[in-house]
Amino acid sequence: MKILLIALCILFLLAVCKKVKTTSAKGKEKAGIKQLKTGESESEPLKNGSIILPTEVREFGYCVSHGYCYYSVVLHNPNKNKAVKYTRLHLSAKDEAGNLSASGDDIVPIIYPKQDYVHASQIFALDDAHADVTVEVLEPDASDITDAGMTENYTPLRVISAVKEKGCIIGELQNDNDRDIDNVGVTVIFRDDNGKLAGGTSTLVQSVSAKSAAQYEITLFKSFETDKFELYANIWE
């Protein structure tokens, strides 16, 4: 009888320990794996442990020129207090049969809270002019999420002049910030007759002084050049 009671006590203790261990594991799993959707409150963490809303793709377009794919995209950071550094973009091209033709990744340096970032670039070799190209914003690493209070106040850069000549656009951009900016990306995006984004390209301007203007020049590709174009300047650091 005494042996039976001892055995029952051991079984009871084992059951209690297992229950405690299971509850602890579930609590750890719940600590942060939900991706917030646009419109949800900033109160639940991502699986990387950061509390953010995902970067939005507001517009996207592309064209195929001389065997390469050129794309343009308008991104938006919907967060009120968090900047996102090194936003990773994954682009894929599929042929008419749905087979993957090409893929590639690109990076946008930083998108400040409640601001847009317009970017355009060549992404990969692509001979199929009828390919369907899509873009996906990958989830950022926890180390790439920065509280607005930890970043310097930033005033968006402005393109203040643009003259379109044969094969290029030249003009000036303005830095209204109180600090020098080492690198600025100047981007031109083109739209078709229906206003849809087509291709685009960018150039880099170095050493733009605080409260000053700087010149830029963008080389154009005639195959996707249209009369409807827009220019943007963004920090590239």
Side-chain angles (χ1 to χ4, degrees):
M1 187 68 170
K2 187 176 180 179
I3 295 174
L4 179 60
L5 288 173
I6 293 173
L8 289 173
C9 288
I10 293 173
L11 290 173
F12 176 77
L13 289 173
L14 289 172
V16 171
C17 290
K18 183 177 180 180
K19 183 177 180 181
V20 171
K21 185 177 180 181
T22 302
T23 303
S24 175
K26 288 183 178 179
K28 185 177 181 181
E29 181 178 329
K30 194 176 180 180
I33 63 170
K34 184 177 180 181
Q35 169 92 31
L36 295 183
K37 296 179 180 179
T38 301
E40 290 184 328
S41 63
E42 296 181 43
S43 60
E44 298 180 64
L46 296 172
K47 65 184 180 182
N48 62 21
S50 299
I51 305 173
I52 64 164
L53 294 167
T55 299
E56 301 170 359
V57 177
R58 291 201 160 173
E59 290 187 89
F60 173 71
Y62 66 94
C63 72
V64 178
S65 174
H66 295 94
Y68 288 92
C69 177
Y70 295 84
Y71 79 96
S72 54
V73 64
V74 180
L75 303 170
H76 178 72
N77 177 3
N79 296 281
K80 297 178 181 179
N81 301 307
K82 296 185 184 296
V84 183
K85 297 187 297 181
Y86 310 121
T87 297
R88 293 170 296 160
L89 306 177
H90 181 72
L91 290 90
S92 302
K94 293 184 178 180
D95 60 23
E96 293 181 299
N99 299 313
L100 184 66
S101 302
S103 64
D105 295 329
D106 207 349
I107 294 179
V108 171
I110 186 167
I111 311 177
Y112 287 90
K114 291 294 183 180
Q115 291 188 15
D116 291 343
Y117 196 109
V118 180
H119 180 62
S121 180
Q122 173 187 303
I123 186 64
F124 42 61
L126 188 64
D127 293 326
D128 186 3
H130 302 289
D132 180 28
V133 180
T134 58
V135 63
E136 174 188 7
V137 179
L138 303 181
E139 183 178 316
D141 295 330
S143 59
D144 294 334
I145 308 303
T146 305
D147 289 332
M150 296 174 63
T151 61
E152 300 179 61
N153 292 330
Y154 172 69
T155 301
L157 302 167
R158 298 180 294 123
V159 174
I160 57 176
S161 67
V163 177
K164 185 181 177 188
E165 299 182 347
K166 185 177 181 180
C168 70
I169 295 177
I170 58 174
E172 288 189 320
L173 64 95
Q174 177 69 33
N175 175 17
D176 291 321
N177 293 277
D178 294 324
R179 65 184 179 94
D180 298 346
I181 297 179
D182 292 335
N183 296 294
V184 175
V186 182
T187 295
V188 58
I189 59 174
F190 294 94
R191 296 183 183 274
D192 62 20
D193 292 337
N194 297 316
K196 184 179 178 180
L197 279 183
T201 188
S202 301
T203 192
L204 190 67
V205 178
Q206 296 180 315
S207 302
V208 182
S209 300
K211 303 293 185 180
S212 300
Q215 293 186 333
Y216 68 86
E217 180 175 339
I218 302 178
T219 301
L220 300 180
F221 298 88
K222 188 174 181 181
S223 53
F224 62 73
E225 180 184 342
T226 70
D227 292 330
K228 297 180 180 180
F229 64 93
E230 302 164 16
L231 286 153
Y232 299 89
N234 293 295
I235 192 168
W236 192 270
E237 296 179 346

